[in-house]
Amino acid sequence: MISQEEIYYTVALTRMTGFNFQTALLLYQKLGSGQAVYEHRNEIGDVLPECTPRLRESMKHWDEALKRAAAEMEFMEKGGIKPLCMNDADYPQRLRECADAPLVLYYKGSADLNQQYVIDIIGTRRCTTYGQDIIARFVSDLRQLCPNVLIVSGLAYGIDICAHRNALQQGYETVGVLAHGLDKIYPYAHRGTAIEMLKQGGLLTEFMSQTNADKPNFVRRNRIVAGMSDATILIESAAKGGGLITCDIARNYDRDVYAFPGAVNMPFSEGCNNMIRNNTAALITSAEDFVEAMGWKLQDAKPEAVERQLFPELTADEQRIVQLLQQTNDLQLNIISVRTNIPIGQLTAMLFSLEMKGVVKPLAGGTYHLIF
């Protein structure tokens, strides 16, 4: 177990000025601990001969960094936050393998960050109904095939929050990696989901409290998302975007990258389609594709049983509606009535029942959409 003293010095090391965090990591690895770096603060030139005179001088002055570390230690104790130094057994092992891994992570939650399988699901902040449906189906089917998976994302709008919420709904643990400290939640609209994740997953960041969600922090956050995962799954992305950056990082870490294809010429399918065409992401269309590609052990469950569970307790008429929407999705109420021969009044009640069961959802113009 890492001592409080070691945590204190390692947290302080991350605050030292005059050098970037890669240099801090190099010093930490050479000397074996944050405390050892502090103890050798006057001989940094001997430890790292290639370092600059400015670095040698700055490393002699730890007063401000130690003061900030002490305040953060107090904040963590009050907030039930667990610091994970790189030498800690609970530190994400996959991330530790990465050359630019953070020296310290701040974690609040209940999930094991070193579960047998870890994936991240990422994509555009402006996901469409198509993207939402892919996530719902993928996570539901994956739960039947591989129940022991930790799902990671960034708690952002769009694909991220949809992935977290579907993971929670299916009984998966899910971890949100933040681009700021644990004294706030950004975006604030996701606070309710974040609180729920603390009981069924967690929140993770490399940033101390009082750190704002500034733009550069999101790119740094993305490397943690990719680095702690076995595979990155991209669901909807424009030609440029943060999801593509995460995929690039994952490939540089020699991790698997997968993408769901989208309709031609649709703006939020362009990024996925380009990656598939350029062989920078493997094409998948289902959870079965993904699990087989990863070589993960499947549960003893027949696909037919999975399909039946998607639409539980449907009446014969409700099943007729579902079958129609499976053939042609997004139909208006009057068209559904004509094709199923169900009167409008009765059909409206059935569609409401299907909505409550999470099978369909109403769209603009009196149109109904089959979710799965």
Side-chain angles (χ1 to χ4, degrees), residues 186-253:
Y186 177 84
Y188 187 80
H190 298 165
R191 181 176 177 83
T193 301
I195 292 173
E196 190 176 354
M197 289 166 63
L198 295 178
K199 301 176 183 178
Q200 192 178 316
L203 302 175
L204 183 71
T205 184
E206 69 172 310
F207 299 104
M208 288 186 179
S209 60
Q210 303 177 38
T211 303
N212 294 325
D214 298 326
K215 188 174 181 179
N217 294 351
F218 288 94
V219 177
R220 290 180 61 178
R221 181 274 305 276
N222 291 349
R223 85 186 194 285
I224 299 175
V225 171
M228 65 184 293
S229 305
D230 297 305
T232 292
I233 300 173
L234 183 67
I235 301 176
E236 288 200 309
S237 173
K240 296 181 179 180
L244 300 181
I245 295 174
T246 306
C247 290
D248 287 340
I249 295 171
R251 286 198 306 275
N252 289 334
Y253 289 159

Coordinates of all heavy atoms in Angstrom, one line a residue, residues 186-253:
Y186 N -18.7 18.7 -15.2 CA -19.0 19.4 -16.5 C -19.3 18.4 -17.6 O -18.5 17.5 -17.7 CB -17.8 20.3 -16.9 CG -17.9 21.0 -18.2 CD1 -18.6 22.2 -18.3 CD2 -17.4 20.4 -19.4 CE1 -18.8 22.8 -19.5 CE2 -17.6 21.0 -20.6 CZ -18.3 22.2 -20.7 OH -18.5 22.8 -21.9
P187 N -20.3 18.6 -18.3 CA -21.4 19.6 -18.1 C -22.3 19.3 -16.9 O -22.5 18.2 -16.6 CB -22.2 19.5 -19.4 CG -22.0 18.1 -19.9 CD -20.6 17.7 -19.5
Y188 N -22.8 20.4 -16.3 CA -23.6 20.3 -15.1 C -24.8 19.5 -15.3 O -25.3 18.8 -14.4 CB -23.9 21.7 -14.6 CG -24.6 21.6 -13.2 CD1 -23.9 21.5 -12.1 CD2 -26.0 21.7 -13.1 CE1 -24.5 21.5 -10.8 CE2 -26.6 21.7 -11.9 CZ -25.8 21.6 -10.7 OH -26.5 21.5 -9.5
A189 N -25.3 19.5 -16.6 CA -26.6 18.7 -16.9 C -26.4 17.2 -16.7 O -27.4 16.5 -16.5 CB -27.0 19.0 -18.4
H190 N -25.2 16.8 -16.6 CA -24.9 15.3 -16.4 C -24.6 15.0 -15.0 O -24.2 13.8 -14.7 CB -23.7 14.9 -17.3 CG -24.0 15.1 -18.8 ND1 -23.0 15.0 -19.8 CD2 -25.2 15.3 -19.4 CE1 -23.6 15.2 -20.9 NE2 -24.9 15.4 -20.8
R191 N -24.9 15.9 -14.1 CA -24.6 15.7 -12.7 C -25.3 14.5 -12.1 O -24.8 13.6 -11.4 CB -24.9 16.9 -11.9 CG -24.6 16.8 -10.4 CD -24.9 18.1 -9.6 NE -24.7 17.9 -8.2 CZ -23.5 18.0 -7.6 NH1 -22.4 18.3 -8.3 NH2 -23.4 17.9 -6.3
G192 N -26.6 14.3 -12.5 CA -27.4 13.2 -12.0 C -26.8 11.9 -12.4 O -26.7 10.9 -11.6
T193 N -26.4 11.8 -13.6 CA -25.8 10.5 -14.1 C -24.5 10.3 -13.4 O -24.2 9.1 -13.1 CB -25.6 10.6 -15.7 OG1 -26.9 10.8 -16.3 CG2 -25.0 9.3 -16.2
A194 N -23.7 11.3 -13.2 CA -22.4 11.2 -12.6 C -22.6 10.7 -11.2 O -21.8 9.8 -10.7 CB -21.7 12.5 -12.6
I195 N -23.6 11.2 -10.4 CA -23.8 10.7 -9.1 C -24.2 9.2 -9.1 O -23.7 8.4 -8.3 CB -24.9 11.5 -8.4 CG1 -24.4 12.9 -8.2 CG2 -25.4 10.9 -7.1 CD1 -25.4 13.9 -7.7
E196 N -25.0 8.8 -10.1 CA -25.4 7.4 -10.2 C -24.2 6.5 -10.5 O -24.0 5.4 -10.0 CB -26.4 7.3 -11.3 CG -27.1 5.9 -11.4 CD -28.2 5.8 -12.4 OE1 -28.5 6.9 -13.0 OE2 -28.7 4.7 -12.6
M197 N -23.2 7.1 -11.3 CA -22.0 6.3 -11.7 C -21.1 6.1 -10.5 O -20.4 5.1 -10.5 CB -21.3 7.1 -12.8 CG -22.0 7.1 -14.1 SD -21.3 8.3 -15.3 CE -19.6 7.7 -15.4
L198 N -21.2 6.9 -9.5 CA -20.3 6.7 -8.3 C -20.7 5.4 -7.6 O -19.8 4.8 -7.0 CB -20.5 7.9 -7.3 CG -20.0 9.2 -7.8 CD1 -20.3 10.3 -6.7 CD2 -18.5 9.2 -8.1
K199 N -21.9 4.9 -7.7 CA -22.4 3.7 -7.1 C -22.2 2.5 -8.0 O -22.2 1.4 -7.6 CB -23.8 3.8 -6.7 CG -24.1 4.9 -5.7 CD -25.6 5.1 -5.4 CE -25.9 6.2 -4.5 NZ -27.4 6.4 -4.3
Q200 N -22.0 2.8 -9.3 CA -22.0 1.7 -10.3 C -20.9 2.1 -11.4 O -21.1 2.1 -12.6 CB -23.3 1.5 -11.0 CG -23.4 0.3 -11.9 CD -24.8 0.2 -12.5 OE1 -25.8 0.4 -11.8 NE2 -24.9 -0.2 -13.7
G201 N -19.7 2.3 -10.8 CA -18.6 2.8 -11.7 C -17.8 3.8 -11.0 O -17.3 3.6 -9.9
G202 N -17.6 5.0 -11.6 CA -16.8 6.0 -10.9 C -16.5 7.2 -11.8 O -16.8 7.2 -13.0
L203 N -15.8 8.1 -11.2 CA -15.2 9.3 -11.9 C -13.7 9.3 -11.7 O -13.3 9.1 -10.6 CB -15.9 10.6 -11.4 CG -17.4 10.7 -11.5 CD1 -17.9 11.9 -10.8 CD2 -17.9 10.6 -13.0
L204 N -13.0 9.6 -12.8 CA -11.5 9.6 -12.8 C -11.0 10.8 -13.5 O -11.5 11.2 -14.5 CB -11.1 8.3 -13.5 CG -9.6 8.0 -13.5 CD1 -9.1 7.5 -12.1 CD2 -9.3 6.8 -14.5
T205 N -9.9 11.3 -12.9 CA -9.2 12.5 -13.5 C -7.8 12.5 -13.1 O -7.4 12.0 -12.1 CB -9.9 13.8 -13.2 OG1 -9.3 14.9 -13.9 CG2 -9.9 14.1 -11.7
E206 N -7.0 13.2 -13.9 CA -5.6 13.5 -13.5 C -5.5 14.9 -13.0 O -4.4 15.3 -12.5 CB -4.6 13.3 -14.7 CG -4.7 14.3 -15.8 CD -3.7 14.2 -16.8 OE1 -2.5 14.2 -16.4 OE2 -4.0 14.2 -18.0
F207 N -6.5 15.7 -13.0 CA -6.5 17.1 -12.6 C -6.9 17.3 -11.1 O -7.9 16.7 -10.7 CB -7.4 17.9 -13.5 CG -7.0 17.8 -15.0 CD1 -7.7 17.0 -15.9 CD2 -5.9 18.5 -15.4 CE1 -7.3 16.9 -17.2 CE2 -5.5 18.4 -16.7 CZ -6.2 17.6 -17.6
M208 N -6.2 18.2 -10.5 CA -6.5 18.5 -9.1 C -7.8 19.4 -9.1 O -8.3 19.9 -10.1 CB -5.4 19.4 -8.5 CG -4.1 18.6 -8.2 SD -3.0 19.7 -7.3 CE -1.6 18.6 -7.0
S209 N -8.3 19.5 -7.9 CA -9.5 20.4 -7.7 C -9.1 21.8 -8.1 O -7.9 22.2 -8.2 CB -9.9 20.4 -6.2 OG -8.8 20.8 -5.4
Q210 N -10.1 22.6 -8.4 CA -9.9 24.0 -8.9 C -9.3 24.1 -10.3 O -8.8 25.1 -10.7 CB -9.1 24.8 -7.9 CG -9.7 24.9 -6.5 CD -8.8 25.6 -5.5 OE1 -8.2 26.6 -5.9 NE2 -8.7 25.1 -4.3
T211 N -9.4 23.0 -11.0 CA -8.9 23.0 -12.4 C -10.1 23.0 -13.3 O -11.0 22.2 -13.2 CB -8.1 21.7 -12.7 OG1 -7.0 21.5 -11.8 CG2 -7.6 21.7 -14.2
N212 N -10.2 24.0 -14.2 CA -11.3 24.2 -15.0 C -11.2 23.3 -16.3 O -10.2 22.8 -16.6 CB -11.4 25.7 -15.5 CG -11.7 26.6 -14.4 OD1 -12.4 26.3 -13.5 ND2 -11.1 27.8 -14.5
A213 N -12.4 23.1 -16.9 CA -12.4 22.3 -18.1 C -12.0 23.1 -19.3 O -12.8 23.3 -20.2 CB -13.9 21.8 -18.3
D214 N -10.7 23.4 -19.4 CA -10.1 24.2 -20.5 C -9.9 23.2 -21.7 O -9.7 22.0 -21.5 CB -8.8 24.9 -20.1 CG -9.1 25.9 -19.0 OD1 -10.1 26.5 -19.0 OD2 -8.2 26.0 -18.1
K215 N -9.9 23.8 -22.8 CA -9.8 23.0 -24.1 C -8.6 22.0 -24.1 O -8.8 20.9 -24.5 CB -9.8 24.0 -25.3 CG -9.9 23.2 -26.6 CD -10.0 24.2 -27.8 CE -10.2 23.5 -29.1 NZ -10.3 24.4 -30.2
P216 N -7.4 22.4 -23.8 CA -6.3 21.5 -23.8 C -6.5 20.3 -22.9 O -5.9 19.2 -23.2 CB -5.1 22.3 -23.4 CG -5.5 23.7 -23.6 CD -6.9 23.8 -23.4
N217 N -7.2 20.5 -21.8 CA -7.4 19.4 -20.9 C -8.2 18.2 -21.5 O -8.1 17.1 -21.1 CB -8.1 19.9 -19.6 CG -7.3 20.8 -18.8 OD1 -6.1 21.0 -19.1 ND2 -7.9 21.5 -17.9
F218 N -9.1 18.5 -22.5 CA -9.8 17.4 -23.1 C -9.0 16.5 -23.9 O -9.2 15.3 -23.9 CB -11.0 18.0 -24.0 CG -12.1 18.6 -23.2 CD1 -12.1 20.0 -22.9 CD2 -13.1 17.9 -22.7 CE1 -13.1 20.6 -22.1 CE2 -14.1 18.4 -21.9 CZ -14.1 19.8 -21.6
V219 N -8.0 17.0 -24.6 CA -7.0 16.2 -25.3 C -6.2 15.3 -24.3 O -6.0 14.1 -24.6 CB -6.1 17.0 -26.2 CG1 -5.1 16.1 -26.9 CG2 -6.9 17.8 -27.2
R220 N -5.8 15.9 -23.2 CA -5.1 15.1 -22.2 C -6.0 14.1 -21.6 O -5.6 12.9 -21.4 CB -4.6 16.0 -21.1 CG -3.4 17.0 -21.5 CD -2.9 17.8 -20.4 NE -2.4 17.1 -19.3 CZ -1.9 17.6 -18.2 NH1 -1.8 18.9 -18.1 NH2 -1.4 16.8 -17.2
R221 N -7.3 14.4 -21.4 CA -8.2 13.4 -20.9 C -8.4 12.3 -21.9 O -8.5 11.1 -21.5 CB -9.6 14.2 -20.7 CG -10.7 13.3 -20.2 CD -11.5 12.6 -21.3 NE -12.0 13.4 -22.3 CZ -13.1 14.1 -22.3 NH1 -13.9 14.1 -21.3 NH2 -13.5 14.8 -23.4
N222 N -8.4 12.5 -23.2 CA -8.6 11.5 -24.2 C -7.5 10.4 -24.1 O -7.8 9.2 -24.4 CB -8.6 12.1 -25.6 CG -9.8 12.9 -25.8 OD1 -10.8 12.9 -25.1 ND2 -9.8 13.7 -26.9
R223 N -6.3 10.8 -23.8 CA -5.2 9.7 -23.7 C -5.5 8.8 -22.6 O -5.1 7.6 -22.6 CB -3.9 10.4 -23.6 CG -3.4 10.8 -22.2 CD -2.1 11.5 -22.2 NE -1.5 11.6 -20.9 CZ -1.9 12.4 -19.9 NH1 -2.9 13.2 -20.1 NH2 -1.2 12.4 -18.8
I224 N -6.1 9.2 -21.5 CA -6.5 8.3 -20.4 C -7.6 7.4 -20.8 O -7.6 6.2 -20.5 CB -6.9 9.1 -19.1 CG1 -5.7 10.0 -18.7 CG2 -7.3 8.2 -18.0 CD1 -6.1 10.9 -17.5
V225 N -8.6 7.9 -21.5 CA -9.7 7.1 -22.0 C -9.2 6.0 -22.9 O -9.5 4.8 -22.7 CB -10.7 8.0 -22.8 CG1 -11.7 7.1 -23.5 CG2 -11.4 9.0 -21.9
A226 N -8.3 6.3 -23.8 CA -7.7 5.3 -24.7 C -6.7 4.4 -24.0 O -6.7 3.2 -24.2 CB -7.0 6.0 -25.9
G227 N -5.9 5.0 -23.1 CA -4.9 4.2 -22.5 C -5.3 3.1 -21.5 O -4.7 2.1 -21.3
M228 N -6.4 3.4 -20.8 CA -6.9 2.4 -19.8 C -7.8 1.4 -20.4 O -8.3 0.5 -19.7 CB -7.6 3.2 -18.7 CG -8.9 3.8 -19.1 SD -9.7 4.8 -17.7 CE -10.1 3.4 -16.6
S229 N -8.0 1.4 -21.7 CA -8.9 0.5 -22.4 C -8.2 -0.6 -23.3 O -7.2 -0.3 -23.8 CB -9.9 1.3 -23.2 OG -10.6 2.2 -22.5
D230 N -8.9 -1.7 -23.4 CA -8.4 -2.7 -24.4 C -8.7 -2.3 -25.8 O -8.0 -2.6 -26.8 CB -9.1 -4.1 -24.1 CG -8.7 -4.6 -22.8 OD1 -7.5 -4.8 -22.5 OD2 -9.7 -5.0 -22.0
A231 N -9.8 -1.6 -26.0 CA -10.3 -1.2 -27.4 C -11.1 0.0 -27.3 O -11.8 0.3 -26.3 CB -11.1 -2.4 -28.0
T232 N -11.0 0.8 -28.4 CA -11.8 2.0 -28.6 C -12.8 1.8 -29.6 O -12.5 1.3 -30.7 CB -10.9 3.2 -29.0 OG1 -10.0 3.5 -27.9 CG2 -11.7 4.4 -29.4
I233 N -14.1 2.2 -29.3 CA -15.2 2.0 -30.3 C -15.7 3.4 -30.6 O -16.2 4.1 -29.8 CB -16.3 1.1 -29.7 CG1 -15.7 -0.3 -29.3 CG2 -17.5 1.0 -30.6 CD1 -16.7 -1.2 -28.6
L234 N -15.7 3.7 -31.9 CA -16.1 5.0 -32.4 C -17.5 4.9 -33.0 O -17.8 4.0 -33.9 CB -15.2 5.6 -33.4 CG -15.5 6.9 -34.0 CD1 -15.3 8.0 -32.9 CD2 -14.6 7.3 -35.2
I235 N -18.5 5.7 -32.5 CA -19.9 5.6 -32.9 C -20.2 7.1 -33.3 O -20.5 7.9 -32.5 CB -20.8 5.1 -31.9 CG1 -20.4 3.7 -31.5 CG2 -22.3 5.1 -32.4 CD1 -21.3 3.1 -30.3
E236 N -20.3 7.3 -34.6 CA -20.6 8.6 -35.2 C -19.5 9.7 -34.9 O -19.2 9.9 -33.7 CB -22.0 9.1 -34.7 CG -23.2 8.4 -35.3 CD -24.4 9.2 -35.2 OE1 -24.8 9.7 -34.1 OE2 -25.1 9.3 -36.2
S237 N -19.0 10.2 -35.9 CA -18.0 11.3 -35.8 C -18.0 12.1 -37.1 O -18.1 11.5 -38.2 CB -16.6 10.7 -35.6 OG -15.7 11.8 -35.6
A238 N -17.9 13.4 -37.0 CA -17.7 14.2 -38.2 C -16.3 14.0 -38.7 O -15.5 13.2 -38.2 CB -17.9 15.7 -37.8
A239 N -15.9 14.6 -39.8 CA -14.6 14.4 -40.5 C -13.5 14.8 -39.5 O -12.4 14.3 -39.6 CB -14.6 15.2 -41.8
K240 N -13.8 15.8 -38.6 CA -12.8 16.1 -37.6 C -13.5 16.2 -36.2 O -14.7 16.6 -36.2 CB -12.2 17.5 -37.9 CG -11.4 17.6 -39.2 CD -10.8 19.0 -39.4 CE -10.0 19.1 -40.7 NZ -9.5 20.4 -40.9
G241 N -12.8 15.8 -35.2 CA -13.4 15.8 -33.9 C -12.6 15.1 -32.8 O -11.6 14.4 -33.1
G242 N -13.0 15.3 -31.6 CA -12.2 14.7 -30.5 C -12.2 13.2 -30.5 O -11.2 12.5 -30.1
G243 N -13.3 12.5 -31.0 CA -13.3 11.1 -31.1 C -12.2 10.5 -32.0 O -11.6 9.5 -31.7
L244 N -11.9 11.2 -33.1 CA -10.8 10.8 -34.0 C -9.4 11.0 -33.3 O -8.5 10.2 -33.5 CB -10.9 11.6 -35.3 CG -12.1 11.5 -36.1 CD1 -12.1 12.4 -37.3 CD2 -12.5 10.1 -36.4
I245 N -9.3 12.0 -32.5 CA -8.1 12.2 -31.7 C -7.9 11.0 -30.8 O -6.8 10.4 -30.7 CB -8.1 13.5 -30.9 CG1 -8.1 14.7 -31.9 CG2 -6.9 13.6 -30.0 CD1 -8.3 16.0 -31.2
T246 N -8.9 10.6 -30.1 CA -8.8 9.5 -29.2 C -8.5 8.2 -29.9 O -7.6 7.4 -29.4 CB -10.1 9.3 -28.4 OG1 -10.5 10.5 -27.8 CG2 -10.0 8.1 -27.4
C247 N -9.0 8.0 -31.1 CA -8.7 6.8 -31.9 C -7.2 6.8 -32.3 O -6.5 5.8 -32.3 CB -9.6 6.8 -33.2 SG -11.3 6.4 -32.8
D248 N -6.7 8.0 -32.7 CA -5.3 8.1 -33.1 C -4.4 7.8 -31.9 O -3.4 7.0 -32.0 CB -5.0 9.5 -33.5 CG -5.5 9.9 -34.9 OD1 -5.8 8.9 -35.6 OD2 -5.6 11.0 -35.2
I249 N -4.8 8.2 -30.7 CA -4.0 7.9 -29.5 C -4.0 6.4 -29.2 O -3.0 5.8 -28.9 CB -4.6 8.7 -28.3 CG1 -4.4 10.2 -28.5 CG2 -3.9 8.3 -27.0 CD1 -5.1 11.1 -27.4
A250 N -5.2 5.8 -29.3 CA -5.4 4.4 -29.1 C -4.5 3.6 -30.0 O -3.8 2.6 -29.6 CB -6.8 4.0 -29.3
R251 N -4.4 4.0 -31.3 CA -3.6 3.3 -32.3 C -2.1 3.4 -31.9 O -1.3 2.5 -32.0 CB -3.8 3.8 -33.7 CG -5.1 3.3 -34.3 CD -5.1 3.5 -35.8 NE -4.8 4.8 -36.2 CZ -5.6 5.8 -36.3 NH1 -6.9 5.6 -36.0 NH2 -5.3 7.0 -36.6
N252 N -1.7 4.6 -31.4 CA -0.3 4.8 -31.0 C 0.0 4.0 -29.8 O 1.2 3.7 -29.6 CB -0.1 6.3 -30.7 CG -0.1 7.2 -32.0 OD1 0.2 6.7 -33.1 ND2 -0.4 8.4 -31.9
Y253 N -1.0 3.7 -29.0 CA -0.8 2.8 -27.9 C -0.9 1.3 -28.3 O -0.8 0.4 -27.4 CB -1.8 3.1 -26.8 CG -1.7 4.4 -26.1 CD1 -2.8 4.9 -25.4 CD2 -0.5 5.0 -26.0 CE1 -2.7 6.1 -24.7 CE2 -0.4 6.2 -25.3 CZ -1.5 6.8 -24.6 OH -1.4 8.0 -24.0

